[in-house]
Amino acid sequence: MEKRVAMLAIVVEDNERTEELNHVLHEYSEYIIGRLGLPYRDRSISLISIAIDGPADAISALSGKLGQIPGVSAKAVYAKLPEDA
């Protein structure tokens, strides 16, 4: 299984979904390197970035599960690293 390093950008427009979002992130905690959350109170949204190192399939599945939560958008950006890294 190919391991990748990626950043997940998450926009939370419905703060009532935070518990569900955290539950999904916990399912993938073994791959998460770090997390930064920024509440943007002026716009009533939250912006979250997740650094992740894991199988490409797991990263894709996490991004997909987060995107299925109503009021949550997620997008993954992958690092271009040498194959033996």
Side-chain angles (χ1 to χ4, degrees):
M1 181 65 55
E2 180 186 15
K3 285 190 75 177
R4 301 289 305 267
V5 174
M7 290 295 296
L8 290 179
I10 304 166
V11 178
V12 182
E13 297 178 49
D14 181 356
N15 288 324
E16 298 296 317
R17 298 297 184 156
T18 305
E19 187 175 335
E20 188 175 353
L21 180 141
N22 285 327
H23 178 75
V24 173
L25 291 177
H26 182 74
E27 291 177 25
Y28 292 85
S29 62
E30 66 186 285
Y31 306 120
I32 294 175
I33 301 166
R35 170 182 176 168
L36 173 68
L38 300 169
Y40 190 9
R41 291 180 184 90
D42 291 348
R43 297 280 190 142
S44 299
I45 63 171
S46 294
L47 306 170
I48 303 169
S49 61
I50 306 286
I52 190 165
D53 184 356
D57 289 348
I59 296 170
S60 179
L62 171 57
S63 182
K65 283 184 179 183
L66 292 172
Q68 293 297 313
I69 301 171
V72 176
S73 301
K75 184 77 172 179
V77 179
Y78 294 88
K80 295 177 183 174
L81 298 175
E83 290 297 319
D84 58 352

